[in-house]
Amino acid sequence: MARFIFITGGVVSSLGKGLASAALGSLLQARGFSVRLRKLDPYLNVDPGTMSPFEHGEVFVTDDGAETDLDLGHYERFTGVAARNTDSVSSGRIYSTVLEKERRGDYLGKTIQVIPHVTNEIKDFISIGEDEVDFMLCEIGGTVGDIEALPFFEAIRQFSQDKPRGQCIFMHLTLLPYLAASGELKTKPTQHSVKELRSIGISPDVLVCRSEHPIPEKEREKIGLFCNVRKEAVIAAYDLKSIYEAPLAYHAQGLDQAVLDAFNISPAPKPDLSVWEDVADRIHNTDGEVNIAIVGKYVQLEDAYKSIKEAVTHGGMANRVKVNVKWVDAETFDSKDAAPSLAGFHAILVPGGFGERGTEGKIKAAQFAREKKIPYLGICLGMQMAVIEAARNVAGLTAAGSEEFDHEAGKKRFEPVVYHLKEWVQGNHTVRRKAGDDKGGTMRLGAYDAILTEGSRAAQAYGATAIEERHRHRYEVDTKYRDQLEKFGLMFSGMSPDGRLPEIVEWKDHPWFVGVQFHPELKSKPFAPHPLFADFVRAAMENSRLV
Ligand code: GLN
């Protein structure tokens, strides 16, 4: 049966709880244990699928088609364990399950209350698949003291009481602010945060303290004393150059040892950190750099493209080259020449997105990359825009567009090369959608197979002709236009196994121009860079030698 580690945060939000959880997961793996990581989010949305990327950052999609919090991306990137839809839950999902059960009459006339009905639902969620792994790490979103997080804190408190002694521990992350005027690190906010936690019955076993300055031994002792935590379990978390240094840095500070001590696991198995040493080596020992433009819409918030940024970095690591990413707002050249904004980059990436804003800019970016022979990777919307560009500017379909934003009604000669997909095959059943369906959870979501054309750029990059990648989209390139586009050199080099859905397109006479309908970035890891990103960065490097 699994041991449980509950991870909470205090003092301020955005402390890097997700990263600390992921790094701890990887350290436990390095010691030979199996792990699974979970995220419990207090907000009332049923899932992040309908939340704006500007507000909540990227939506991370799992193989089994769940739209989840971006922290699940960290979990996968650090542990390599594929997340499932049972690894992410929100208050909204918990409440909607409780209310469904109430309507069905499952509670047999009882009054429904936060304790025990909501807390029981949370506890049931936490224990799903508990027999499968050695450690289950559950991160609670938000900050201790948040009103909406209270049922989660209460549930994990109860959970630790329900289990035999020693099977659950609590890890709390806080911040030690630095007062420049007095040159001191202040421990009081941490003390208050722990006090808050203890007032709801949770006593942390491990404290992780974020700090911009070294924490003197004396301060660690003080924190331990006032927070009722062993001195060795007060772990310093300093800012890092790269997030991928986190496993080694946390190990050096004794995090994994403190966790194993809290569970009384002795002697602790020795860790094998060679994977992370190699990752660190690839970050620090690079030869050359490339400049890549990411032309998107949500560029003000980098978290909106979290996995893309990471996958590009992994591509750099695969080639031992430093990748400089510049975020370019596609909207700025929606109705202007794109060249001044895009000149000088060694490669261009157009990521996924929703809605019309910035799409003309993205089409221009695809055109610029095609004409100037600059490596181009188009992801989901970035592929759709590349196809529209090819249709309009090469194949002579000047009215080409997407049903997502060019509405037939207003246009006489509209060519919907990208159309609203209403029926497709998943495994051995057919999925159907209608135009007015609910927005949440109704896209083509999760892992689907694709068959690649032998000898194509894509097949070369993958080193395979059968692949499986994750999807999240409502619209699709129409095969009706395939022959016409292929005649002009745009190859449909990846298709769904039934041959109905284009998965990859690429320009034949171009150094590297690939559009993919899926999201390869979601499966890239620092220790296993995604083949498309590795090859894209390689092409960028080659291009950098030419200019
Ligand atoms: N908006 C497009 C669609 O729904 C692309 C989605 C995406 O880029 N993830 O098909």
Side-chain angles (χ1 to χ4, degrees):
M1 201 179 285
R3 293 178 168 93
F4 290 84
I5 303 169
F6 294 106
I7 299 120
T8 58
V11 182
V12 292
S13 58
S14 307
L15 272 179
K17 267 194 316 248
L19 192 59
S21 309
L24 174 58
S26 70
L27 289 175
L28 292 170
Q29 285 179 318
R31 290 191 187 251
F33 297 106
S34 59
V35 300
R36 178 159 288 284
L37 286 101
R38 290 212 158 128
K39 178 85 192 277
L40 293 88
D41 270 310
Y43 51 72
L44 281 169
N45 304 62
V46 171
D47 63 40
T50 51
M51 288 160 98
S52 161
F54 281 123
E55 254 182 55
H56 195 71
E58 142 189 301
V59 174
F60 190 81
V61 183
T62 59
D63 280 332
D64 56 8
E67 296 177 281
T68 71
D69 187 84
L70 55 77
D71 274 326
L72 270 77
H74 283 314
Y75 302 166
E76 282 202 16
R77 284 188 284 274
F78 280 81
T79 64
V81 176
R84 303 179 187 151
N85 65 19
T86 44
D87 293 330
S88 167
V89 82
S90 65
S91 291
R93 163 93 58 212
I94 294 285
Y95 276 94
S96 76
T97 312
V98 169
L99 294 177
E100 272 166 32
K101 286 188 179 172
E102 188 274 338
R103 293 287 84 185
R104 275 205 309 264
D106 290 5
Y107 297 118
L108 305 174
K110 287 260 184 299
T111 307
I112 313 306
Q113 296 182 294
V114 173
I115 305 170
H117 300 99
V118 170
T119 47
N120 281 352
E121 202 59 47
I122 298 171
K123 290 196 287 183
D124 287 350
F125 171 82
I126 292 169
S127 51
I128 295 171
E130 63 179 325
D131 295 327
E132 293 173 17
V133 287
D134 299 322
F135 286 95
M136 192 79 88
L137 287 77
C138 298
E139 178 191 346
I140 313 293
T143 310
V144 58
D146 293 347
I147 290 177
E148 51 186 18
L150 272 173
F152 287 110
F153 285 105
E154 172 59 15
I156 59 174
R157 183 196 66 75
Q158 289 177 16
F159 192 93
S160 73
Q161 291 296 323
D162 298 344
K163 292 286 174 196
R165 222 175 251 284
Q167 211 179 318
C168 301
I169 68 159
F170 296 94
M171 172 167 131
H172 190 57
L173 258 87
T174 70
L175 174 74
L176 299 184
Y178 180 75
L179 278 195
S182 55
E184 277 179 312
L185 279 176
K186 305 308 284 184
T187 65
K188 196 64 98 188
T190 295
Q191 293 177 42
H192 278 291
S193 175
V194 172
K195 195 170 157 205
E196 180 82 36
L197 207 53
R198 290 171 72 191
S199 74
I200 49 178
I202 295 172
S203 193
D205 300 282
V206 177
L207 261 187
V208 174
C209 302
R210 283 292 301 269
S211 170
E212 282 176 22
H213 294 266
I215 307 175
E217 198 52 27
K218 182 169 110 293
E219 295 303 306
R220 267 164 70 123
E221 272 171 30
K222 184 171 157 192
I223 295 168
L225 182 65
F226 282 88
C227 297
N228 195 31
V229 173
R230 286 163 190 271
K231 190 182 80 187
E232 310 76 51
V234 177
I235 307 295
Y238 301 125
D239 297 345
L240 300 169
K241 215 177 116 218
S242 157
I243 56 170
Y244 299 117
E245 294 168 331
L248 294 180
Y250 273 125
H251 176 70
Q253 294 297 327
L255 175 64
D256 43 331
Q257 188 61 55
V259 165
L260 296 176
D261 287 348
F263 281 113
N264 270 324
I265 297 176
S266 172
K270 291 252 167 308
D272 173 5
L273 297 166
S274 50
V275 168
W276 295 104
E277 281 154 2
D278 179 54
V279 164
D281 184 57
R282 284 173 181 276
I283 294 169
H284 296 298
N285 298 313
T286 51
D287 184 13
E289 31 192 286
V290 289
N291 303 325
I292 297 183
I294 301 188
V295 183
K297 178 164 83 166
Y298 317 108
V299 291
Q300 295 90 325
L301 182 70
E302 276 192 29
D303 268 0
Y305 300 115
K306 186 80 201 154
S307 293
I308 294 209
K309 172 78 196 301
E310 296 310 322
V312 168
T313 307
H314 305 161
M317 287 157 69
N319 292 286
R320 282 194 183 273
V321 55
K322 182 167 181 278
V323 180
N324 304 313
V325 164
K326 168 103 191 286
W327 303 94
V328 180
D329 186 350
E331 236 185 316
T332 56
F333 45 83
D334 254 347
S335 48
K336 275 207 316 242
D337 183 13
S341 310
L342 297 178
F345 289 106
H346 303 128
I348 294 173
L349 190 154
V350 176
F354 294 83
E356 183 164 16
R357 260 179 41 215
T359 50
E360 288 303 321
K362 290 176 184 177
I363 290 170
K364 285 185 187 153
Q367 181 179 9
F368 182 81
R370 174 178 59 79
E371 290 175 350
K372 301 277 186 257
K373 303 251 184 260
I374 297 168
Y376 175 93
L377 176 57
I379 293 177
C380 208
L381 188 68
M383 166 194 181
Q384 297 173 357
M385 296 306 104
V387 173
I388 293 175
E389 192 281 315
R392 282 189 196 169
N393 303 328
V394 185
L397 298 162
T398 49
S402 166
E403 282 187 358
E404 185 174 3
F405 22 81
D406 298 291
H407 299 290
E408 274 173 276
K411 294 198 177 188
K412 275 206 210 81
R413 279 181 35 255
F414 178 50
E415 299 274 4
V417 296
V418 179
Y419 72 107
H420 190 172
L421 183 72
K422 308 237 178 52
E423 195 180 299
W424 66 90
V425 178
Q426 180 167 36
N428 42 22
H429 75 287
T430 302
V431 187
R432 293 200 173 83
R433 298 275 184 260
K434 292 192 298 301
D437 278 349
D438 281 354
K439 287 273 180 285
T442 55
M443 284 185 260
R444 178 149 95 98
L445 286 168
Y448 284 84
D449 293 331
I451 309 296
L452 315 187
T453 309
E454 202 111 26
S456 62
R457 161 89 47 217
Q460 277 168 19
Y462 277 98
T465 51
I467 59 162
E468 189 196 75
E469 292 282 5
R470 296 181 193 171
H471 289 247
R472 180 174 186 252
H473 55 106
R474 224 170 242 118
Y475 299 85
E476 201 87 34
V477 172
D478 199 334
T479 44
K480 211 166 69 189
Y481 298 93
R482 178 175 180 171
D483 288 348
Q484 196 162 354
L485 290 165
E486 290 207 322
K487 218 168 54 201
F488 288 95
L490 186 71
M491 302 309 301
F492 284 46
S493 57
M495 298 296 292
S496 60
D498 64 4
R500 285 166 61 189
L501 306 174
E503 295 279 7
I504 307 180
V505 296
E506 54 187 82
W507 278 112
K508 244 179 155 178
D509 300 317
H510 190 286
W512 210 99
F513 191 110
V514 178
V516 293
Q517 186 56 76
F518 46 81
H519 290 275
E521 71 275 17
L522 301 178
K523 297 222 301 200
S524 189
K525 320 272 186 310
F527 44 81
H530 190 285
L532 278 182
F533 281 90
D535 208 40
F536 174 60
V537 173
R538 185 197 52 73
M541 256 166 64
E542 253 166 45
N543 187 33
S544 76
R545 291 197 194 102
L546 301 176
V547 289

